[in-house]
Amino acid sequence: KQIEHFFLDNKGVVIEPWLKRTLDISSSCYIDIRSTISDIQHHCTLSNRAGAFFADILDPFHRNIKKWRDKLHYHVMNSAQEVAKTGYYGPVGFDSFLFIDNSGNTKLAPVIEINARHTISSIAYALHKRLAPNSITMFRFISRKKHSLPDTYEKFLEKIGPLHFSQYSQRGVIITTPLRVSHQKDIWVQPQRSGFFIADETMES
């Protein structure tokens, strides 16, 4: 019934096979006004079962990023050149993923989506470079349904204790969104999603 519905407007329909995705990868670059492409970067992203994004992981030594870096760079550069031909300049994000084919081999599906704008990774990279360039970092969002926050930052620091970020060790957790927001006078609520910047020495820790 769903496929029949797609054909109701008498336009073409593309049906893609269901793939066993093993890793989501995002890339970014900058196109200047002269169409020069620079600052190509690649990182892992995490999404839930519904496909909703919830985290960027910046780990320059990630084995899959390292293994597929050359192919990712090639496809991102080609795509960015095409974007530049349209006259666009500014930040661009690209989504790719790894999947397992019917033979059990891991393959890359490169540049399945292009976002000609700042993406969340712009914030993730800025935090990483500013606060913890020598650590593995995660920019993580958690919905209000899955966590509760105290009313004050003092209580938050007490709750998080030794996990609070240290500029000296470049490890720990920083909350990047407010504990409460107000859309009406004197009515303060926890945001729908809270952002956390997390840094440590290894991905496991």
Side-chain angles (χ1 to χ4, degrees):
K1 289 182 178 179
Q2 187 64 51
I3 294 174
E4 289 175 355
H5 176 73
F6 288 150
F7 280 102
L8 289 179
D9 58 4
N10 295 317
K11 294 181 179 179
V13 175
V14 177
I15 300 175
E16 298 178 343
W18 187 265
L19 301 176
K20 298 178 181 178
R21 297 166 69 127
T22 58
L23 185 70
D24 289 309
I25 301 173
S26 287
S27 307
S28 61
C29 73
Y30 189 84
I31 303 173
D32 70 17
I33 198 169
R34 294 180 293 276
S35 295
T36 301
I37 299 163
S38 61
D39 202 22
I40 295 179
Q41 304 175 100
H42 314 285
H43 64 278
C44 302
T45 65
L46 299 179
S47 302
N48 63 22
R49 291 184 178 181
F53 160 87
F54 67 85
D56 279 327
I57 300 174
L58 276 56
D59 177 4
F61 305 107
H62 193 287
R63 57 186 178 87
N64 280 314
I65 295 294
K66 184 177 181 180
K67 180 179 179 180
W68 296 94
R69 187 180 303 279
D70 290 344
K71 286 190 176 181
L72 287 165
H73 189 94
Y74 171 80
H75 289 289
V76 166
M77 177 60 78
N78 283 349
S79 300
Q81 289 172 346
E82 293 301 316
V83 172
K85 289 178 183 178
T86 69
Y88 174 85
Y89 59 91
V92 191
F94 307 87
D95 293 335
S96 305
F97 65 86
L98 299 180
F99 68 97
I100 299 176
D101 67 12
N102 292 332
S103 300
N105 300 313
T106 298
K107 292 187 177 180
L108 174 69
V111 188
I112 60 165
E113 185 174 324
I114 300 173
N115 296 296
R117 55 175 170 80
H118 274 295
T119 61
I120 292 294
S121 68
S122 295
I123 304 173
Y125 278 108
L127 290 167
H128 177 89
K129 292 176 182 177
R130 175 75 175 180
L131 299 174
N134 300 316
S135 298
I136 295 171
T137 63
M138 175 186 288
F139 190 35
R140 171 84 156 90
F141 290 90
I142 305 176
S143 70
R144 188 169 65 189
K145 294 179 180 179
K146 293 187 176 181
H147 79 300
S148 60
L149 294 171
D151 295 331
T152 68
Y153 290 100
E154 289 78 13
K155 290 180 181 178
F156 175 76
L157 293 177
E158 288 177 11
K159 191 176 185 70
I160 202 167
L163 292 179
H164 188 250
F165 182 81
S166 166
Q167 62 179 330
Y168 301 106
S169 66
Q170 296 188 16
R171 299 177 189 175
V173 180
I174 297 175
I175 187 168
T176 61
T177 48
L179 298 178
R180 298 291 185 273
V181 293
S182 175
H183 299 290
Q184 299 180 40
K185 186 178 180 181
D186 299 326
I187 299 177
W188 294 85
V189 297
Q190 183 176 318
Q192 288 289 343
R193 293 204 302 170
S194 297
F196 298 88
F197 176 73
I198 309 167
D200 215 324
E201 187 175 8
T202 67
M203 189 64 229
E204 290 73 22
S205 56

